[in-house]
Amino acid sequence: MYKEMAQVYDELMNDAPYDQWVDFTKQAVKHYSKQTPSCLLDVGCGTGELSLRIAQQGYEVTAFDQSEQMIDHAMAKMESEHEIHFLKADATEFQLNKAFDLIVSYCDVINYLTDENSLTKAFYQIYEHLTDSGLFIFDIHSQGYIDFLLDSEMFSEVREDISYVWFCEETERSHEVVHDLTFFVQTEHELYKRFDETHKQRTFPVEQYKQFLSSIGFQEVTVCSDFSLEYREDADRIFFICEK
């Protein structure tokens, strides 16, 4: 997962709402943090685009992803004035021997934890890496958005240098989707190289996430949506602000 796709990820995500994630983080910290956070952990950082933007806000940033290829791309574009500690790690079993004031996991990273065991293991690891009164903020695709993907079944896009076909398939489990992706990427000889990747994501009910988080030890869990501190049931993206 995210192997050859890492080389085209930034191009495919060039219109992603990175600035909105940064702004939402600032809002959440202002309204819910009991301290002024200085060190931040980005869980599932991908190619580091969001990590870099967060570092520009003055945070000391550590970031990891389970894809070595994504981390390679992140390190290649790191800015000297905003040095970030990038590393390869798994959200369910990382050990950094350091506590963070703020931990974030955006762009539906948590949706890749598709069973209760891996989800609670990741939440536990994150909890253990937070300072007292620290915040954990993450987002997920809503169940309504998963339904939209499954109803649509297929997406495609053709560009001059890259094209893709994206099939969405339902599994036997509620609100779980398998993404079958085929890419055609132009090479230096004006030929196109094909590669395929398969991704699986799942969304649990909001109340179930809250139960998991409370069972780990989080004291307060606030649910928001679509980059706003308010919550709407018909939102595409759900945010959780979790206080240790």
Side-chain angles (χ1 to χ4, degrees), residues 104-132:
V104 300
S105 187
Y106 290 143
C107 199
D108 50 89
V109 167
I110 298 300
N111 283 120
Y112 282 94
L113 303 172
T114 60
D115 62 80
E116 296 182 11
N117 182 54
S118 60
L119 190 61
T120 53
K121 285 174 67 176
F123 285 164
Y124 176 79
Q125 291 301 110
I126 288 166
Y127 182 88
E128 289 295 299
H129 283 79
L130 274 174
T131 58
D132 291 341

Side-chain angles (χ1 to χ4, degrees), residues 45-85:
C45 65
T47 61
E49 186 64 33
L50 184 59
S51 305
L52 289 165
R53 297 183 191 220
I54 290 176
Q56 291 168 2
Q57 302 298 312
Y59 287 101
E60 174 193 330
V61 176
T62 300
F64 72 77
D65 198 279
Q66 69 176 6
S67 167
E68 186 173 352
Q69 291 84 352
M70 296 288 257
I71 290 297
D72 288 343
H73 282 274
M75 294 180 67
K77 62 183 181 182
M78 185 166 59
E79 302 168 356
S80 58
E81 66 267 32
H82 299 294
E83 186 171 348
I84 298 170
H85 183 204

Side-chain angles (χ1 to χ4, degrees), residues 8-198:
V8 297
Y9 184 82
D10 282 338
E11 181 176 350
L12 294 172
M13 293 286 287
N14 59 8
D15 60 348
Y18 292 116
D19 290 337
Q20 288 181 269
W21 275 304
V22 173
D23 289 343
F24 181 84
T25 304
K26 292 163 68 174
Q27 288 185 69
V29 166
K30 179 180 178 180
H31 285 84
Y32 294 99
S33 181
K34 296 181 175 66
Q35 58 186 328
T36 302
S38 60
C39 55
L40 178 146
L41 175 65
D42 186 1
V43 174
C45 65
T47 61
E49 186 64 33
L50 184 59
S51 305
L52 289 165
R53 297 183 191 220
I54 290 176
Q56 291 168 2
Q57 302 298 312
Y59 287 101
E60 174 193 330
V61 176
T62 300
F64 72 77
D65 198 279
Q66 69 176 6
S67 167
E68 186 173 352
Q69 291 84 352
M70 296 288 257
I71 290 297
D72 288 343
H73 282 274
M75 294 180 67
K77 62 183 181 182
M78 185 166 59
E79 302 168 356
S80 58
E81 66 267 32
H82 299 294
E83 186 171 348
I84 298 170
H85 183 204
F86 284 113
L87 66 152
K88 180 181 182 296
D90 187 320
T92 64
E93 55 186 18
F94 66 98
Q95 293 288 343
L96 302 183
N97 298 314
K98 179 178 180 178
F100 299 86
D101 304 322
L102 179 59
I103 299 179
V104 300
S105 187
Y106 290 143
C107 199
D108 50 89
V109 167
I110 298 300
N111 283 120
Y112 282 94
L113 303 172
T114 60
D115 62 80
E116 296 182 11
N117 182 54
S118 60
L119 190 61
T120 53
K121 285 174 67 176
F123 285 164
Y124 176 79
Q125 291 301 110
I126 288 166
Y127 182 88
E128 289 295 299
H129 283 79
L130 274 174
T131 58
D132 291 341
S133 300
L135 285 185
F136 169 41
I137 310 172
F138 69 94
D139 68 1
I140 58 168
H141 288 317
S142 69
Q143 291 193 323
Y145 184 76
I146 297 295
D147 289 337
F148 161 74
L149 293 178
L150 293 172
D151 288 343
S152 300
E153 294 185 351
M154 191 269 284
F155 303 87
S156 63
E157 183 177 1
V158 177
R159 304 183 186 181
E160 183 175 345
D161 56 346
I162 179 172
S163 302
Y164 67 83
V165 181
W166 166 17
F167 291 96
C168 302
E169 299 179 5
E170 189 174 9
T171 76
E172 71 281 358
R173 299 196 296 189
S174 174
H175 292 95
E176 183 176 67
V177 57
V178 175
H179 306 282
D180 283 321
L181 300 131
T182 298
F183 297 90
F184 299 91
V185 180
Q186 189 178 45
T187 68
E188 59 183 7
H189 302 297
E190 297 188 354
L191 299 175
Y192 284 82
K193 177 183 178 181
R194 171 181 170 166
F195 64 88
D196 301 271
E197 289 204 11
T198 300

